[in-house]
Amino acid sequence: MTAVNWEQFYQNQAPPSCLDEVGKNVTKFCAKHQNQKIVLVTSGGTTVPMEHNTVRFVDNFSAGSRGSASVEYFLKAGYAVVFLNRLNSLQPFIRHFPKQELFDCLDVSDSQQGPQITVNARKGQKLVRILKEYKQVSKEEKLMSVSFSTLSEYLWLLRVISQELNACKKHALLYLAAAVSDFYIPESKLPTHKIQSNVQSLQVSFNLVPKMLEPLVSLWVPDAFVVSFKLETDESILISKARGALEKYSHKLVIGNLLHSRKYHVLIVSDAEEHELRLSPQEIEAGKEIEEKIISELVKRHDDYLNQS
């Protein structure tokens, strides 16, 4: 397995066609919310194509639950949000209405003017509340959404957005919740067309993805409050892996979580401490989300960081 550095990665992977436009839009977004707190939330998993004309790709299980929920809590806390999310992953506000539930909140009736859509009095209360929240966010232009599909698209967009957020200095917070692939196939090694299924066996060689926290923290947004995530399945190595990341990249916090308990229990690891956040059985029963506690804690720590001389 071959390792490359981050400079080589960008040299060898073509940027997405939307890159310049995204950079300009983020610049405008930052200018509009100048001297306000602004957060980049990354969300969802990255695909790794196996052909140039992609039919097959390597993916992961992330649906964007944590990122989309966190966006709503950052907005409630007064942040402007740049949401870098996997195409077709869960989205803020609409995430509350899975499958056909949105239709259940609405009624249709006929009138002389034609079909009329109304909110169901019994089932539509949640829809009305969330729709009002969404409309207020839209009116204030507090949310900017940017989508990606592939690992390459994500890393190119992460770089340009981070570089533009550098203008916000300490007011910028980066909340890196996307599930980024650790391995990829360089474009130069991808077959042009679909891999045929009549071969006896298939061998694929992957390269290690360079750790973009290094240039992000040291070069792209050196003054920002950067938070990364560490997901493990082995509890015995979670804290050591989180501390290893802090020591290596010198960012502010790592949020550690285990695969099977990530929805109700996380560890916030800093240089000085490990702080546990957990939902009680009563909170879980009431439909509370661990992201509410995570964002509340991060807002306090970001405020402390801003108030430092």
Side-chain angles (χ1 to χ4, degrees), residues 60-108:
N60 66 43
F61 72 94
S62 176
S65 301
R66 175 146 291 159
S68 59
S70 298
V71 166
E72 293 181 27
Y73 293 114
F74 273 120
L75 289 166
K76 289 178 181 178
Y79 282 73
V81 180
V82 179
F83 184 42
L84 179 58
N85 61 97
R86 166 75 174 272
L87 185 67
N88 297 325
S89 64
L90 288 174
Q91 299 295 301
F93 305 108
I94 196 66
R95 71 186 179 91
H96 296 279
F97 304 97
K99 298 182 179 179
Q100 285 79 37
E101 188 176 328
L102 181 62
F103 291 157
D104 293 335
C105 297
L106 302 172
D107 293 326
V108 181

Side-chain angles (χ1 to χ4, degrees), residues 210-257:
K211 298 299 184 182
M212 295 303 174
L213 266 176
E214 179 182 357
L216 186 147
V217 173
S218 62
L219 299 175
W220 302 341
V221 278
D223 297 316
F225 194 93
V226 178
V227 180
S228 70
F229 281 77
K230 179 64 68 176
L231 175 72
E232 295 293 344
T233 57
D234 182 354
E235 184 176 6
S236 67
I237 65 172
L238 180 61
I239 292 177
S240 63
K241 296 281 281 189
R243 292 216 162 276
L246 285 174
E247 292 170 7
K248 187 172 183 179
Y249 305 116
S250 301
H251 55 305
K252 304 305 180 197
L253 299 172
V254 174
I255 299 179
N257 52 155

Side-chain angles (χ1 to χ4, degrees), residues 165-272:
L165 284 175
N166 189 42
C168 302
K169 301 297 181 182
K170 293 173 69 173
H171 285 85
L173 188 156
L174 277 74
Y175 181 86
L176 306 176
V180 184
S181 173
D182 291 317
F183 315 103
Y184 77 107
I185 305 171
E187 286 190 358
S188 60
K189 295 183 180 179
L190 289 176
T192 301
H193 298 294
K194 174 188 172 185
I195 299 171
Q196 296 302 305
S197 58
N198 57 0
V199 295
Q200 293 299 315
S201 64
L202 178 65
Q203 293 184 338
V204 180
S205 177
F206 290 91
N207 282 14
L208 284 170
V209 175
K211 298 299 184 182
M212 295 303 174
L213 266 176
E214 179 182 357
L216 186 147
V217 173
S218 62
L219 299 175
W220 302 341
V221 278
D223 297 316
F225 194 93
V226 178
V227 180
S228 70
F229 281 77
K230 179 64 68 176
L231 175 72
E232 295 293 344
T233 57
D234 182 354
E235 184 176 6
S236 67
I237 65 172
L238 180 61
I239 292 177
S240 63
K241 296 281 281 189
R243 292 216 162 276
L246 285 174
E247 292 170 7
K248 187 172 183 179
Y249 305 116
S250 301
H251 55 305
K252 304 305 180 197
L253 299 172
V254 174
I255 299 179
N257 52 155
L258 294 168
L259 177 63
H260 299 297
S261 60
R262 68 191 187 282
K263 292 185 180 296
Y264 58 86
H265 178 227
V266 300
L267 282 172
I268 297 183
V269 183
S270 67
D271 286 335

